[in-house]
Amino acid sequence: DEHTLDHIQSIIAEQGCDAWWKLDEVDLLPEMYKDQADKWTKGTDTMDVWFDSGSSWAGVVQERAEKEMGLSFPADVYLEGSDQHRGWFQSSLLTSVAANKGQAPYKAVLTHGFVLDEKGFKMSKSLGNVVNPLQVIEGGNNKKLEPAYGADVLRLWVASVDYAGDVRVGANIIKQTFESYRKLRNTARYLIGNLADYDPSKDAVAYDDLPSMDKWMLGTMSQVLNEVDDALSNYQFGRATNEILRFATADLSNFYLDVAKDRLYISAVDDARRRSCQTVIHALLEGFAKSIAPILPHMAEDIWQNLPYKTEEDNSSVFEGGLSEKLMSYPEVDAEKWNLVRNVRTDVNQVLESARKDKLVGASLDAAAYIYTSDDKIKAVLSELDGDESLITPSVKTNGVDELRTAFMISQVHIVDSEDAITEACDSEYTGKGELSGCMIGVKKAEGTKCGRCWFYDKEVGKHGSKYGPDLCQRCGEAIFSWEESSGNEFSAPVVEEAAPVA
């Protein structure tokens, strides 16, 4: 009755649930029933244990919600193993529905599997296959064999696996996860390192003035950020992690940041093509840090504390402010065009491999590419991006960014009108049909002389005066002159042997 329930409630509130097991029947009964203690037996069935855990919503969530202690009822999520569908999930649901007029105690239920060793066996001390999380973080006694990976690497492994089923973990799996972690960290270091002289308040290029490639990159970033945000909101951590890794590897390292090296390292300090690239990198860095923060909090905060500029909102932590609407709302621009360029670039690189194996060329800048396509649409895109014959600044035919030469990182690109033009220019063993683009491609040694600064080959190298050395293209000469003008310093040309022209 009411007296009994109130008495038990007061005992539990004061002494905790263990009081049920510690006290005798006479102590569990209110004063008016103590003389009947010999008629009652304290229940110890499992049913009561499930009722105890199943009603935890009342003491943990509902009571704190009513007292405005920072929690809300029902709970956002209940997290447990797959065996709890008939246990805690079920008992919680039954008790709450009965007590709260049909309302469940949770908005969502998240179920996970169990952790196994690398071979798929259940972990057991007797088998010696238990993976200690603390050892993964801090390392073992022998740091060479059992290095300290830190908490972020362990979190990255957790986030990358499909927790809905049983998951495997062990030394080799953690080592592979560390390689993914290092890829993300190196990407962040590249982004930070190339913003050392960038001040967003002074050097940012307006969106409307950005080249097509930069607008495409910002649109791609926004798509990734929205994908990651949606995945995390739906507890799909593996989907979010895979998207971040794919973006860092395929879109950034393998293409945009590789192409950006020419703009960042070769252009004059305040050249528009360099500042526009830094404007994009600035957005990429903040978007990257914000997107990895829920999974890799230490890396994300490390990035944020080392930003070489002051953030717009002056947020002192990566966890303040969330993902900005601006970063997530850039439109998709010329996606079809740049996907085609990337496909042709991949096909060119595959043909280049044969030339490298035969030592015809070393780096891609040692080569010239000849491309033919019968597809008028593809030809129109490639022709639009076909740059000046020589390396000059300012560029005449293009804006100096949306250009095949720099997109492919190859010294010369020739869009020809027939396959015969390719076979006439290139040896047959260095020609082939691209698997992705369908274009016929040939490569040969680039013509001209190698520029000692940008390493592109050009027929005009050394023909624009020798003030800065005999082995510079016009573009690099202008960049050095610009540096002298802005810094007030004088460039001291290194002594180099004059390079022989390539036939």
Side-chain angles (χ1 to χ4, degrees), residues 445-465:
K445 184 74 174 176
E447 297 177 346
T449 304
K450 184 178 182 178
C451 175
R453 183 170 179 270
C454 68
W455 294 5
F456 276 83
Y457 279 77
D458 191 86
K459 294 178 182 179
E460 298 298 312
V461 168
K463 297 181 180 180
H464 301 278

Side-chain angles (χ1 to χ4, degrees), residues 138-188:
E138 298 180 352
N141 294 327
N142 188 334
K143 292 297 189 289
K144 289 186 177 180
L145 296 177
E146 298 171 329
Y149 289 109
D152 272 2
V153 172
L154 185 61
R155 291 174 64 93
L156 184 59
W157 167 77
V158 173
S160 64
V161 297
D162 181 9
Y163 62 79
D166 293 343
V167 297
R168 300 185 183 193
V169 67
N172 292 325
I173 292 174
I174 293 296
K175 186 176 180 180
Q176 292 170 8
T177 304
F178 175 68
E179 292 304 315
S180 297
Y181 169 86
R182 191 162 63 175
K183 161 59 70 176
L184 295 175
R185 190 169 187 85
N186 286 341
T187 299

